[in-house]
Each structure stands twice: as structure tokens, then as C-alpha cells.
Amino acid sequence: MRSEKSTCLWAYKVSILFLLLMLQPVGTFARSLNGFDLSESLIYSGHIMPGGPAKDGIPAIDKPEFDTVKAADWLTPESRVLGVVHNGIAKAYPIAILNWHEIVNDRFAGEAVVITYCPLCGSGVVYRGSDGERVLSFGVSGLLYNNDILLYDRQTDSLWSQLHNQAISGPLKGSRLTQLPSSHVRWEVWREQYPDTIVLNRNTGAVRDYRRNPYYGYEESPQLLFPVEFLSNTLHPKERVIGIELNGITKAYPFSELAKRGDSGTIDDLLGGVPILIEYDAEQREGKVSLAGEELVTTNLFWFAWYAFNPATLIFRAEPTD
């Protein structure tokens, strides 16, 4: 349970952030932020917020180094990781590191892959690092939309929305990246499934205390740090859900609803007339969705973030509601 002192501290921080936003010069706010021209953005520039850090103030990891399972002894069994299997290679990216860097520009058997994580949305999303014409590397813009990270590519300085999976300004405006499956799970689960996995280590080139969570208490708080375009009080804002899009239809699977069918297990569902299988561990807020035995791309994230980007989403209910 959150203490009264902790709750007051969050309220104070939120008040200060909104005050700073209100003090932004109107002309500058509408057209340019952190050096990015927003005048022709696909998103209304008034909904794009400065998160605090300047461009590259949160340093992306460009030369990731990895350890074996045995060498990654600083991780506890309960440590959370973003796991990726691609081109026959399994890698784990500890959330304790991603909280401080948000982007890792990596390669799997020579293919560029970008790992992204937004602490404010709890969303880990992995993409092929190419727009189909060129290999791209990404940095942290310091800007947010719906509390979600806006990346920028260093080749064209275009801004990209993580959860819209789209470039929203710059020369590549409208372009999309291919999302790859990833798993937001406990370290003990990932290493059991993939004993030969390698693990991003703490030699990041930056000095950070990876034992400390800079967002401690945020996940339990109902408060958001910045406004969102669409907000629903159907669930606790920070309730974790499995979000999926299939054939243009979006659906959220809240772990609180999945728990009503048992602490863990499988559920058959239809999405757009297509039969899918949900495998989940509600207590640990882990799960995946598959179609005919093939894992589908999903995102494990906070409810408010999924709804902000998908206001027409369906919601899985374990029991009929009146």
C-alpha cells in the first residue's frame, strides 16, 4: 500500500510538470521542441510534450555488450526482462537497464534490431531497424505523446511514435517499422525457456545506478505525469494488459480479468473471427498470444497507454457484464 507521504510526493511532481508545460512559449511549443520541427506533424503539436530531458539527454545504448546466464548474477529470479528471439538468437534486456536508456540499437546475426522501452507506459516494443530502404539507428528525443516515448532516427531526424509505430514528422513521416515478438517476463522464466540466452550487461558507457529504479512507486500510483488524448477509467490506469491488433481490430486482455479464469492457464478466444490462444500467468502479469501455434506480436503495457492509442479497443471480460 502506498504511504500518504509517497502519494503527496507524486501529486507535487505532477503539479510541477504541468506548471512547466503551461509556461512554454505558445509559438515555440506549437512548432518546435527539443530542436524538432513539429509544424507538419501527423500528431497535433499541442499534444506533444517535453518530458524534461533534452534530445539525447537519456542516452540510447549503441554498442551493447552481453553476458552469459552464469555471468548475469546481479539479476534476481524476479527481475523483469524484455526477451527477444530473432534469427535463432535469444537475448534478454533487463528492465533495470532499459529504465535508464529506453533504446538499444542492436543486431541479430547482422540484422539491425531496435529495442525500445517506455517506463511511463510500461511498454517494451521491438522493431526491425530498417524502414525497407535503409538501416536506421535511434535516439531518445526527450519528447512524449500520450506519455509515450518519441524516438528519432539519426539518419533523417524524423520523430517516431513507439506505440503508433509510425514516423510522425520529418522526411520519413508516415513510414512504419516491422514489430517483432517480445516477452516482458521474469528472468527465471526467460532463462529456463532459453538457457543459451545472452543478457545485456551494465557496461553501457554511461554511469547509472542500475540497482535503483528511477520510477519507484509510479506503477502503483493512479496518477499520470502528462495528459493523454483519450482516457478511460474502466480499469486502474496502471493495470497491465496484453494488447493485440489483428486484422485491424484491437483488444486488451487485462490480467485482472484473466485471473478470474485461474491464476494461470490458457484461454481460447475469437478476434475478428480468428481463433487465438492466450497463455498467461496473471499473478506475474506475463502472457502471450498465438495463432495456429505461431506467436503473434503483442505488447504488455499499462491500460491507460493502450487505451490512449486504441480508444476503440475491445476488452476481454471473463464474465458477462450487464
Side-chain angles (χ1 to χ4, degrees):
M1 181 177 295
R2 290 174 56 81
S3 68
E4 182 177 350
K5 180 179 179 181
S6 178
T7 301
C8 291
L9 180 60
W10 268 109
Y12 173 76
K13 289 181 177 179
V14 170
S15 299
I16 292 297
L17 283 167
F18 276 109
L19 178 61
L20 290 174
L21 290 175
M22 293 298 293
L23 292 176
Q24 288 284 333
V26 175
T28 301
F29 182 83
R31 297 185 64 84
S32 178
L33 282 173
N34 281 11
F36 294 96
D37 182 5
L38 305 177
S39 59
E40 297 184 7
S41 169
L42 295 178
I43 295 170
Y44 168 56
S45 61
H47 292 159
I48 297 175
M49 303 289 175
K55 178 182 181 181
D56 293 321
I58 297 175
I61 299 175
D62 295 319
K63 297 180 179 179
E65 299 181 12
F66 294 86
D67 286 331
T68 63
V69 168
K70 184 176 181 179
D73 55 4
W74 65 280
L75 292 173
T76 70
E78 298 300 316
S79 295
R80 307 294 292 199
V81 301
L82 192 64
V84 183
V85 178
H86 187 59
N87 288 342
I89 300 170
K91 296 187 181 184
Y93 301 84
I95 300 300
I97 297 177
L98 295 179
N99 272 334
W100 292 95
H101 296 278
E102 301 187 3
I103 296 175
V104 182
N105 292 294
D106 202 356
R107 287 186 175 270
F108 282 67
E111 181 183 354
V113 172
V114 57
I115 287 78
T116 70
Y117 185 74
C118 179
L120 297 187
C121 293
S123 52
V125 184
V126 178
Y127 298 108
R128 294 183 188 272
S130 169
D131 66 347
E133 297 182 3
R134 76 206 87 189
V135 172
L136 301 172
S137 64
F138 292 84
V140 182
S141 71
L143 303 178
L144 302 168
Y145 169 58
N146 282 338
N147 284 259
D148 188 45
I149 179 177
L150 289 178
L151 331 172
Y152 79 93
D153 70 79
R154 293 165 176 151
Q155 285 65 38
T156 73
D157 236 26
S158 299
L159 280 174
W160 298 73
S161 169
Q162 183 206 41
L163 291 177
H164 259 333
N165 180 18
Q166 188 176 42
I168 56 98
S169 73
L172 298 183
K173 182 172 66 176
S175 299
R176 294 183 178 274
L177 299 174
T178 301
Q179 187 175 346
L180 299 173
S182 61
S183 300
H184 189 293
V185 296
R186 288 163 294 151
W187 170 231
E188 65 178 350
V189 171
W190 185 258
R191 71 186 182 190
E192 180 178 347
Q193 291 179 340
Y194 303 99
D196 293 328
T197 188
I198 55 177
V199 190
L200 180 69
N201 71 29
R202 294 175 288 181
N203 297 326
T204 63
V207 179
R208 299 289 187 276
D209 183 0
Y210 297 116
R211 297 167 298 178
R212 184 175 72 85
N213 180 2
Y215 299 92
Y216 179 77
Y218 172 77
E219 188 163 346
E220 292 76 26
S221 169
Q223 295 169 326
L224 308 182
L225 290 187
F226 299 92
V228 291
E229 195 169 358
F230 303 100
L231 184 64
S232 167
N233 61 3
T234 302
L235 302 166
H236 187 289
K238 309 291 178 55
E239 164 77 21
R240 277 202 172 271
V241 305
I242 303 171
I244 182 171
E245 178 181 353
L246 188 61
N247 296 333
I249 301 174
T250 58
K251 190 166 185 176
Y253 292 84
F255 285 103
S256 59
E257 289 293 322
L258 293 171
K260 295 176 182 179
R261 294 283 188 90
D263 291 339
S264 62
T266 62
I267 293 175
D268 292 304
D269 198 15
L270 287 174
L271 185 55
V274 178
I276 58 176
L277 178 69
I278 298 90
E279 302 174 60
Y280 71 94
D281 183 327
E283 182 180 359
Q284 300 299 334
R285 298 169 300 163
E286 299 166 357
K288 64 180 182 179
V289 180
S290 58
L291 169 61
E294 181 177 350
E295 184 175 356
L296 299 176
V297 169
T298 60
T299 306
N300 183 324
L301 75 173
F302 298 141
W303 161 246
F304 88 83
W306 179 256
Y307 185 85
F309 285 87
N310 303 281
T313 187
L314 303 174
I315 307 174
F316 171 79
R317 296 295 190 184
E319 301 171 355
T321 56
D322 296 331

